[in-house]
Amino acid sequence: MRTSSVALTALAEYTECDIRACLNTLQFLNKKKEMLNVLDISSQVIGRKDTSKSVFDIWKEIFQKRRLKGVRKSIDDCRSSFNEFTSLHSLVSNCGNYDLILDGIHENILQLNYHDPVMKKTVKCLHNLEISDILHQYVMRTQKMSLQVYQPAISIAIHGVVSQVEKPNIQWPKSFHRYRTSLIHKVEALHTWHNKITPCISRHISTKSFVADLVSPLLHILSPPTLR
């Protein structure tokens, strides 16, 4: 069986360098006396390993750009970009936990060493994250879950802006957990204070009305502005 180096490279990339899948595919095509077709390789590959990936792998794919090899440069750039788009879209869609993926992007994006002297790329990425938040809030409010299909495109857009060849140092997102812990602590402190008020006063003041109407004047009394 004869084939080109371009086809072999495409096969290795499609199977993610799984030697067993490559050999099984080549043996299968040899028995059928068929050639390895670069344009239709997805239908020819057999015996692929389990491609399920963790959320860390997804963040890595979003932040890291695949290094182009010499052989791959001979392939049409448009087709390569399409394959990269399809692969990343499939990863994010199969995960389904869009909130966690975008939380990880939000916390790790500023740790990347991408060239952005006028903050144009950063603003663009934050704008995409804002769109994701607005879309998520609308979906939760209206329960139109079908709109979630647009979430992977936001991750792909961010990938196109900040992805680098260097391996990123990815951390698990913790800001939401810290925010939730702090909120619970403050709410408990507020309820404790409210319970210590005498009943004749507390029955006229709820915790929500206290926060909305009394906190600002109280802080103004406790910490008055300077006279300068």
Side-chain angles (χ1 to χ4, degrees):
M1 178 181 180
R2 294 184 178 182
T3 185
S4 64
S5 59
V6 174
L8 292 176
T9 302
L11 175 62
E13 291 180 355
Y14 186 82
T15 59
E16 298 181 354
C17 298
D18 185 0
I19 298 177
R20 180 176 298 179
C22 293
L23 293 177
N24 289 339
T25 301
L26 294 175
Q27 290 175 355
F28 178 75
L29 294 177
N30 186 37
K31 289 181 180 180
K32 295 180 64 177
K33 296 182 179 181
E34 295 182 2
M35 296 293 295
L36 184 62
N37 188 358
V38 179
L39 300 178
D40 196 27
I41 197 169
S42 60
S43 62
Q44 293 182 324
V45 174
I46 61 173
R48 294 186 67 188
K49 62 182 179 181
D50 184 14
T51 57
S52 59
K53 293 190 176 184
S54 67
V55 68
F56 274 101
D57 296 324
I58 297 176
W59 288 328
K60 180 181 177 182
E61 290 291 333
I62 293 174
F63 292 137
Q64 189 173 14
K65 185 183 299 183
R66 294 182 180 180
R67 190 183 299 273
L68 296 177
K69 299 180 180 180
V71 177
R72 186 178 176 181
K73 291 180 181 179
S74 61
I75 305 176
D76 184 34
D77 292 337
C78 182
R79 187 175 61 82
S80 299
S81 300
F82 175 77
N83 291 338
E84 187 176 11
F85 176 91
T86 304
S87 175
L88 189 55
H89 187 278
S90 177
L91 278 177
V92 179
S93 300
N94 292 336
C95 177
N97 195 346
Y98 304 124
D99 292 341
L100 180 59
I101 293 175
L102 292 167
D103 283 344
I105 293 175
H106 179 263
E107 288 210 21
N108 290 283
I109 193 171
L110 296 181
Q111 307 300 325
L112 302 178
N113 296 322
Y114 57 91
H115 183 68
D116 190 20
V118 294
M119 302 292 290
K120 186 176 181 180
K121 293 181 179 179
T122 303
V123 171
K124 187 175 182 179
C125 291
L126 294 178
H127 178 66
N128 285 324
L129 291 174
E130 179 186 5
I131 294 174
S132 174
D133 287 339
I134 295 174
L135 177 61
H136 175 71
Q137 292 176 8
Y138 180 79
V139 169
M140 293 296 102
R141 185 172 66 252
T142 61
Q143 293 299 305
K144 295 181 179 179
M145 297 302 175
S146 59
L147 296 177
Q148 291 281 41
V149 297
Y150 296 104
Q151 290 284 10
I154 297 175
S155 302
I156 297 173
I158 295 175
H159 166 79
V161 176
V162 301
S163 60
Q164 300 292 314
V165 177
E166 293 78 11
K167 184 178 180 180
N169 183 18
I170 301 174
Q171 301 292 332
W172 187 268
K174 300 178 181 178
S175 61
F176 180 74
H177 176 71
R178 290 194 298 266
Y179 157 75
R180 186 176 181 181
T181 303
S182 176
L183 178 63
I184 293 175
H185 175 72
K186 292 178 180 179
V187 170
E188 289 180 352
L190 183 60
H191 282 293
T192 301
W193 173 84
H194 185 265
N195 293 332
K196 292 181 179 180
I197 302 177
T198 56
C200 61
I201 299 177
S202 63
R203 66 170 176 259
H204 300 290
I205 302 176
S206 65
T207 54
K208 291 184 178 181
S209 63
F210 171 77
V211 172
D213 301 330
L214 300 180
V215 167
S216 295
L218 182 61
L219 291 177
H220 183 78
I221 296 173
L222 296 177
S223 301
T226 60
L227 298 178
R228 295 181 181 179

